[in-house]
């Protein structure tokens, strides 16, 4: 702790990742009983509402003791405002846990640079995004038996929303890297690796070009790595990392990186195991845990067609139940989803099948009984 300047606060306050001391939600007055957990739900845009319906149906069939406090936050449907955002934050302060869909960010500039999705992350200080990329048994892709974890800092970096036109036709976009947040995400990655029995952490950067910004991030990772001598540590430049992931992804275990790199790598790695429809994700702060799809793809072409793949959202929901210490229900749902995929008779279009979202959901419910 003494080796890293400024790490004392981080050491005392790092977020618990599925341990006996994991943060549990405060029970709501709206909860049906003392044994029922309230969870904040944001269906989001695109196929989000359809996927949330699948979660509700499976939870109902599995008798999961969770009640959803549902809120609709959407810039696309003009259902976004500071008041709605504050309502979501108030709900999170009570539940501590959320399940959310993709909140689409329009590309048009309308006077506010920070999207509502980004503002929500900042208000809750959801600094760590975790995507566990793992091959699903029975579903063959170009690379099989993959098992790697991508951890990214998601409150600063290129997503700082600090842009301005310094001269006509010249835009300056600021990338913010701070020592405190770089140390915090590095500590989170090594703590995660320790708790999950992982053997290696790779810091991904572009410090050869951005010598000060990415250089600071890399330096913080190297300093924190000294506190974990049992975990192997190496570094890799982002462009080489992309190539290595495609050529030989088995060399990676846990990867930690700044914001934009993580967003790109999340989607690249998801493609290795079947796409955005099969990879769950989660975000953490010191108080809150948010569960979502690992690759935030809007699936615009699938909206309203009943063809979206519920796998990623159902696995995210199962991870959420594990975070709530509902191990039985978590295993029940995740095992049912994996069984349906392994049998291979019911698969959505993105997995090479012809089943609808409803078909897949009903197959999972049937697997629960089995």
């Amino acid at each position: 702790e003494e080796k890293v300047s400024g790490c004392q606060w981080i050491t005392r306050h790092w977020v618990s990742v599925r341990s006996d001391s994991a943060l549990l939600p405060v029970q709501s007055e709206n909860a049906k009983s003392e044994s029922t957990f309230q969870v904040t739900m944001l269906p989001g845009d695109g196929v989000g509402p359809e996927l949330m319906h699948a979660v509700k149906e499976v939870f109902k069939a599995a008798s999961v003791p969770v009640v959803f406090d549902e809120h609709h936050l959407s810039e696309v449907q003009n259902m976004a405002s500071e008041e709605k955002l504050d309502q979501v934050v108030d709900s999170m302060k009570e539940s501590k846990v959320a399940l959310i869909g993709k909140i689409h960010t329009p590309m048009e500039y309308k006077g506010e640079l920070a999207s509502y999705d980004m503002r929500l992350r900042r208000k809750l200080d959801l600094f760590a995004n975790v995507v566990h990329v793992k091959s699903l048994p029975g579903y063959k892709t170009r690379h099989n038996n993959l098992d790697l974890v991508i951890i990214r800092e998601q409150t600063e970096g290129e997503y700082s929303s600090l842009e301005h036109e310094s001269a006509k036709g010249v835009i300056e976009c600021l990338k913010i890297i701070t020592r405190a947040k770089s140390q915090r995400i590095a500590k989170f990655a090594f703590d995660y690796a320790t708790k999950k029995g992982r053997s290696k952490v790779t810091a991904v950067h572009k410090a050869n070009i951005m010598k000060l910004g990415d250089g600071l991030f890399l330096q913080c990772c190297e300093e924190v790595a000294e506190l974990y001598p049992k975990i192997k540590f190496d570094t890799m430049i982002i462009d080489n990392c992309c190539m290595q992931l495609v050529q030989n992804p088995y060399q990676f275990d846990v990867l930690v990186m700044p914001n934009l790199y993580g967003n790109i790598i999340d989607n690249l790695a998801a493609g290795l195991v079947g796409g955005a429809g099969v990879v769950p994700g989660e975000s953490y702060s010191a108080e809150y845990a948010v569960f979502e799809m690992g690759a935030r793809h809007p699936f615009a072409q699938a909206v309203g067609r009943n063809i979206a793949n519920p796998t990623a959202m159902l696995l995210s929901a199962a991870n959420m139940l594990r975070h709530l210490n509902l191990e039985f229900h978590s295993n029940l749902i995740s095992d049912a989803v994996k069984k349906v995929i392994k049998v291979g008779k019911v698969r959505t279009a993105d997995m090479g099948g012809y089943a609808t979202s409803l078909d897949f959901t009903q197959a999972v419910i049937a697997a629960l009984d089995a």
Side-chain angles (χ1 to χ4, degrees):
E1 183 173 321
E2 294 175 356
K3 292 182 181 180
V4 182
S5 175
C7 255
Q8 288 84 350
W9 185 92
I10 299 171
T11 304
R12 293 195 301 271
H13 293 81
W14 71 281
V15 61
S16 173
V17 183
R18 226 355 253 130
S19 67
D20 293 337
S21 61
L23 294 168
L24 295 179
V26 176
Q27 296 306 300
S28 165
E29 294 179 359
N30 297 326
K32 295 179 180 179
S33 69
E34 292 183 0
S35 60
T36 302
F37 295 92
Q38 175 177 308
V39 169
T40 302
M41 173 182 279
L42 275 72
D45 299 306
V47 296
E50 299 174 52
L51 300 179
M52 290 303 180
H53 177 72
V55 170
K56 291 176 185 177
E57 291 298 306
V58 172
F59 272 32
K60 181 179 178 181
S63 300
V64 177
V66 162
V67 58
F68 290 112
D69 181 22
E70 191 167 335
H71 295 266
H72 296 275
L73 187 67
S74 170
E75 293 185 67
V76 178
Q77 302 175 31
N78 294 320
M79 299 175 65
S81 65
E82 284 301 320
E83 182 181 358
K84 287 184 176 294
L85 186 61
D86 289 339
Q87 290 173 356
V88 174
V89 172
D90 289 341
S91 176
M92 281 295 297
K93 287 179 179 178
E94 186 173 5
S95 65
K96 306 296 184 185
V97 179
L99 184 68
I100 69 173
K102 161 72 177 179
I103 302 174
H104 183 65
T105 303
M107 284 185 281
E108 298 81 10
Y109 173 58
K110 298 181 179 180
E112 179 60 56
L113 290 171
S115 67
Y116 279 89
D117 189 18
M118 194 69 218
R119 278 188 257 180
L120 179 62
R121 290 184 214 166
R122 288 176 180 169
K123 282 179 176 288
L124 301 177
D125 194 27
L126 296 168
F127 69 91
N129 178 255
V130 180
V131 176
H132 188 182
V133 179
K134 189 173 184 179
S135 298
L136 293 168
Y139 181 44
K140 292 185 178 181
T141 57
R142 185 178 297 273
H143 297 286
N144 297 296
N145 301 316
L146 277 182
D147 187 356
L148 57 95
V149 177
I150 301 162
I151 296 175
R152 69 173 172 126
E153 205 292 326
Q154 63 171 6
T155 59
E156 57 177 14
E158 294 83 356
Y159 292 14
S160 300
S161 300
L162 294 173
E163 299 179 89
H164 64 274
E165 189 172 21
S166 56
K168 189 170 180 60
V170 179
I171 301 296
E172 293 184 353
C173 178
L174 301 182
K175 170 179 176 175
I176 307 299
I177 298 289
T178 63
R179 172 171 289 276
K181 291 190 176 182
S182 296
Q183 287 177 334
R184 182 169 67 168
I185 195 65
K187 181 99 174 50
F188 181 96
F190 278 93
D191 283 334
Y192 184 98
T194 301
K195 284 184 170 291
K196 299 294 184 178
R198 298 274 175 166
S199 60
K200 183 173 75 169
V201 172
T202 301
V204 181
H205 64 94
K206 191 65 176 174
N208 59 323
I209 301 299
M210 286 170 274
K211 294 179 172 58
L212 298 181
D214 281 25
L216 175 60
F217 177 83
L218 182 58
Q219 179 186 354
C220 291
C221 290
E222 291 171 343
E223 290 172 349
V224 173
E226 294 180 3
L227 305 177
Y228 298 81
K230 294 183 179 180
I231 297 178
K232 183 180 178 181
F233 173 69
D234 65 359
T235 67
M236 190 171 290
I237 297 174
I238 177 63
D239 40 351
N240 184 36
C241 179
C242 291
M243 181 178 69
Q244 295 295 330
L245 274 168
V246 174
Q247 286 187 324
N248 178 25
Y250 302 99
Q251 64 185 286
F252 297 107
D253 194 356
V254 175
L255 299 93
V256 60
M257 61 201 74
N259 210 334
L260 178 61
Y261 307 155
N263 203 354
I264 295 170
I265 294 296
D266 283 346
N267 285 269
L268 189 158
L272 298 178
V273 296
V278 299
V279 179
E282 52 215 55
S283 296
Y284 293 98
S285 73
E287 291 186 75
Y288 308 108
V290 171
F291 296 83
E292 57 199 333
M293 296 177 68
R296 299 183 179 96
H297 194 289
F299 296 103
Q301 73 281 2
V303 177
R305 296 175 59 193
N306 192 28
I307 61 172
N309 189 349
T311 300
M313 193 61 76
L314 288 173
L315 292 178
S316 295
N319 290 340
M320 178 191 74
L321 296 179
R322 186 169 293 109
H323 176 80
L324 295 172
N325 286 330
L326 295 171
E327 290 281 354
F328 171 78
H329 294 91
S330 173
N331 293 333
L332 183 66
I333 291 174
S334 61
D335 289 348
V337 172
K338 292 173 183 177
K339 180 179 180 181
V340 171
I341 291 174
K342 187 174 184 178
V343 171
K345 292 182 179 180
V346 182
R347 286 185 178 172
T348 49
D350 62 313
M351 300 183 76
Y354 301 93
T356 65
S357 305
L358 182 59
D359 292 335
F360 189 90
T361 302
Q362 290 176 337
V364 171
I365 291 174
L368 292 174
D369 297 333

